[in-house]
Amino acid sequence: MSELRQPGLSDAVKGGQSPPLTSAVLGGLIGVKQRLASSTDEVRIAAITEALSYGREGLELVVQIVKTETGPVQRAAYDKLYQKASESARIKLLKYAPGKAIHQTLTQHLSQLLDENFRKDLTRGKYSGWAVSITAEQIPPMLCAIGSYGRPGLDAQERLNAQQVAALSFLENYGWLADLPNELDRNISASPFTYSTPGFEENTRWAEQLSQSDLFGVIWHVGNFYYRGYPREDNLNNLHERTKESLECLMQVAQGKQTYYQLAGVRYPLREPRI
């Protein structure tokens, strides 16, 4: 009796039906395979999108990249599969999420920062006391949201894009939920800023070497932002000056630039500029 085939990622990804294997399809697949074997990342990433138009045959090529590689091509393949995937496939994809490794490293680093003295300092800050009970596991989504908001900067009209507005909406609610650990955990697990969602690695790269002082400053500015409320403005210049000031500092820190925060009326540097 032949063994039943166990379902894999390809079975759970929508759009995985193979087209008839005509000579045109086979020829196209050969070209896709050649581009996927290129030494240039840009060529390979472009070929990923094309591969997914060839049903199961092309899907299998992309799945193999997700399973066996790391780096920008794997991230692009993961993002494309995640967008097409059913809920069951996304659960399977978690094992290969490019943000998983950096999430683990970041959480370990944050655990070392959150010592007793640091938590005492949080109670001294006008806008940082909300985070006194926060855990290392709960911080990465906040850092990812800051990266999603801050890395793109502003366009010529100084307007926030939809991605930035979504990030600020998450941050606005983040602090209020910190007093309710279960609610915060639910908010995080349902957010677009977990390690399993596309862009986590890029949006947290700026935070890999945060010092205690840096982390304090980030928490201080997030607190200043949500205590003052967010009126859903898409233009930074229309916000309250103090709110705008904190959001500009978060934007700068996500871009690796030096800025500042205040504690007991004293201004401290936040994030030494990268060389």
Side-chain angles (χ1 to χ4, degrees), residues 1-137:
M1 184 175 178
S2 57
E3 295 182 357
L4 292 175
R5 182 176 177 271
Q6 295 298 312
L9 280 177
S10 301
D11 300 289
V13 175
K14 298 174 184 176
Q17 298 300 314
S18 297
L21 294 181
T22 63
S23 58
V25 170
L26 289 172
L29 272 173
I30 292 173
V32 169
K33 288 180 179 179
Q34 290 174 340
R35 289 188 286 281
L36 287 175
S38 170
S39 59
T40 304
D41 286 349
E42 289 77 7
V43 172
R44 299 187 69 207
I45 289 171
I48 288 170
T49 301
E50 188 178 352
L52 292 174
S53 67
Y54 286 96
R56 179 172 294 278
E57 312 302 320
L59 180 61
E60 291 288 355
L61 296 175
V62 179
V63 168
Q64 280 304 112
I65 291 174
V66 170
K67 286 183 174 181
T68 61
E69 297 189 25
T70 60
V73 178
Q74 191 260 2
R75 291 198 296 273
Y78 177 89
D79 290 357
K80 292 294 183 182
L81 285 186
Y82 191 92
Q83 292 165 11
K84 290 175 64 70
S86 63
E87 287 303 314
S88 60
R90 288 183 176 182
I91 293 173
K92 294 176 184 291
L93 276 170
L94 288 179
K95 181 178 179 181
Y96 308 102
K100 187 173 184 179
I102 191 173
H103 177 270
Q104 292 171 335
T105 301
L106 195 55
T107 302
Q108 291 172 356
H109 177 57
L110 292 168
S111 297
Q112 297 173 344
L113 300 183
L114 297 175
D115 60 23
E116 185 178 353
N117 289 331
F118 181 77
R119 293 188 186 279
K120 286 181 180 178
D121 283 341
L122 289 174
T123 64
R124 296 169 54 213
K126 184 176 181 181
Y127 301 117
S128 57
W130 65 271
V132 69
S133 299
I134 204 166
T135 67
E137 275 289 344

Side-chain angles (χ1 to χ4, degrees), residues 146-164:
I146 291 169
S148 181
Y149 158 73
R151 287 193 317 116
L154 294 171
D155 60 23
Q157 288 74 43
E158 295 190 325
R159 290 191 176 276
L160 304 175
N161 60 36
Q163 174 185 343
Q164 291 172 311

